[in-house]
Amino acid sequence: MDQMLGCLQVDQSTVAMIEHFGRFVRALDPGCYCVPWCCCYRTAGLMSLRINQLDVRCETKTKDNVFVTVVASIQYQAIREQVEDAFYRLADPQAQIRSYVFDVVRSSVPKMELDEVFISKNEIAQNVEKELEKAMHDYGYRIVQTLIVDVEPDERVKVAMNEINAAQRIRQATQEKAEAEKILQVKKAEGDAEAKYLAGVGVARQRQAIVDGLRESVMGFSSQVPGTSAKDVLDMVMLTQYFDTMRDIGANNKSSTIFIPHGPGNVGDISAQIRDGLTQSIVASKNM
């Protein structure tokens, strides 16, 4: 009705394409206009200056022969100064954009392996945007942004990739567990060695204390009892220890006992054997 009366309202972010006798004469910006249809002026159509988005799904093959679907998101906009080209030169701008995306993606992805495709999404997007910008600018469109939003391999490939990832993580966990067990065993061995060392130090100190005590006892007994020698004192000490040992063995019913010739008279033989062994070892060390 408004056009029949010659009135035209153009909304925001829109331009109206005006023709006279079928020839484009001008583009009307947002506002209210009088278009005298009686003088053969007419509105050929409206052109939006808003940013549009086109999602393109392109199936292709990678270098390692894996079929993937690359999803590209193209954001484009008609250029106000070239609105005539944008309206008249392309019948279907989305189909044109889709063709260029197919061409760039199918020439780039086959040069890459699957893992590289995931890593190089930004590089692919830049190549697509570069080609689109160069081609679509002549038709009155500018490319605002190009994104590779998804790379979808075949479902079986996804399962295989997940299994490979799981196997790698299991192997890494096994290595970490083995390393932890190794560290535990090393620390345990170090602890055992330290404990044995400290036990040896304790035994050495105990024996040193026994020797010191025996020496003091022998010296004190010899000085207080005239006519006794150090040998007599040691024989008496060994006899006393012999009876203490027999008492301890008899008091414990669960002790493991090795029977050897024993008796008060054998104590002297044992001490003689010990002295002979010490004497022989001293003589052998001097001869060496």
Side-chain angles (χ1 to χ4, degrees):
M1 185 65 179
D2 291 339
Q3 291 187 2
M4 291 180 63
L5 297 177
C7 295
L8 175 65
Q9 175 182 321
V10 182
D11 296 332
Q12 183 67 31
S13 299
T14 307
V15 293
M17 312 301 293
I18 304 301
E19 294 179 351
H20 184 228
F21 288 109
R23 180 181 179 182
F24 172 76
V25 289
R26 61 173 176 161
L28 300 180
D29 291 320
C32 186
Y33 300 90
C34 179
V35 181
W37 61 269
C38 58
C39 297
C40 297
Y41 286 93
R42 77 179 189 92
T43 304
L46 300 176
M47 188 71 186
S48 176
L49 298 180
R50 296 178 181 178
I51 296 176
N52 298 290
Q53 178 167 313
L54 174 64
D55 293 330
V56 181
R57 299 177 62 89
C58 178
E59 185 178 13
T60 184
K61 186 179 72 170
T62 62
K63 186 177 181 180
D64 48 353
N65 297 323
V66 177
F67 282 91
V68 296
T69 300
V70 179
V71 182
S73 180
I74 313 299
Q75 298 175 358
Y76 64 98
Q77 182 184 33
I79 303 173
R80 175 64 183 85
E81 293 75 12
Q82 296 177 257
V83 69
E84 180 181 358
D85 293 331
F87 187 80
Y88 288 100
R89 294 189 64 182
L90 284 181
D92 190 350
Q94 292 190 352
Q96 188 79 3
I97 292 174
R98 192 177 289 108
S99 298
Y100 280 107
V101 172
F102 284 168
D103 180 66
V104 175
V105 170
R106 288 175 176 169
S107 63
S108 301
V109 173
K111 300 177 183 178
M112 307 176 184
E113 295 185 352
L114 181 59
D115 293 338
E116 189 179 357
V117 173
F118 283 96
I119 298 173
S120 305
K121 290 198 299 182
N122 290 337
E123 180 181 348
I124 298 173
Q126 290 174 2
N127 292 337
V128 173
E129 183 174 349
K130 180 179 178 182
E131 292 297 324
L132 282 176
E133 182 67 28
K134 182 171 60 175
M136 298 301 295
H137 187 272
D138 294 338
Y139 296 105
Y141 288 93
R142 70 183 185 92
I143 305 302
V144 178
Q145 185 73 26
T146 301
L147 302 172
I148 302 298
V149 296
D150 198 7
V151 177
E152 301 176 356
D154 185 81
E155 190 64 31
R156 290 173 296 179
V157 176
K158 289 183 181 179
V159 174
M161 292 176 64
N162 290 333
E163 290 178 353
I164 292 173
N165 188 31
Q168 291 176 347
R169 293 184 180 275
I170 291 173
R171 182 170 63 252
Q172 183 178 1
T174 303
Q175 292 176 351
E176 294 293 336
K177 183 179 179 181
E179 189 67 23
E181 292 178 354
K182 174 184 175 183
I183 295 174
L184 182 62
Q185 291 178 358
V186 170
K187 292 298 182 181
K188 184 178 179 181
E190 291 177 353
D192 292 340
E194 184 69 18
K196 291 178 181 178
Y197 170 77
L198 295 176
V201 172
V203 171
R205 290 178 179 176
Q206 180 185 18
R207 291 177 179 175
Q208 183 64 40
I210 293 173
V211 171
D212 293 340
L214 289 175
R215 183 174 61 249
E216 292 177 0
S217 299
V218 170
M219 293 176 60
F221 193 86
S222 299
S223 62
Q224 294 180 4
V225 181
T228 58
S229 63
K231 176 181 177 303
D232 297 332
V233 176
L234 289 176
D235 289 340
M236 184 181 67
V237 170
M238 291 188 64
L239 184 62
T240 303
Q241 291 182 348
Y242 169 79
F243 284 117
D244 292 340
T245 302
M246 296 300 294
R247 182 194 61 196
D248 294 338
I249 292 174
N252 190 357
N253 57 358
K254 295 183 180 180
S255 62
S256 299
T257 306
I258 299 177
F259 290 95
I260 59 175
H262 66 89
N266 293 326
V267 176
D269 296 337
I270 295 173
S271 62
Q273 293 174 7
I274 295 174
R275 284 194 301 272
D276 293 341
L278 291 174
T279 303
Q280 293 175 4
S281 63
I282 293 172
V283 172
S285 62
K286 288 182 179 180
N287 292 332
M288 292 177 63

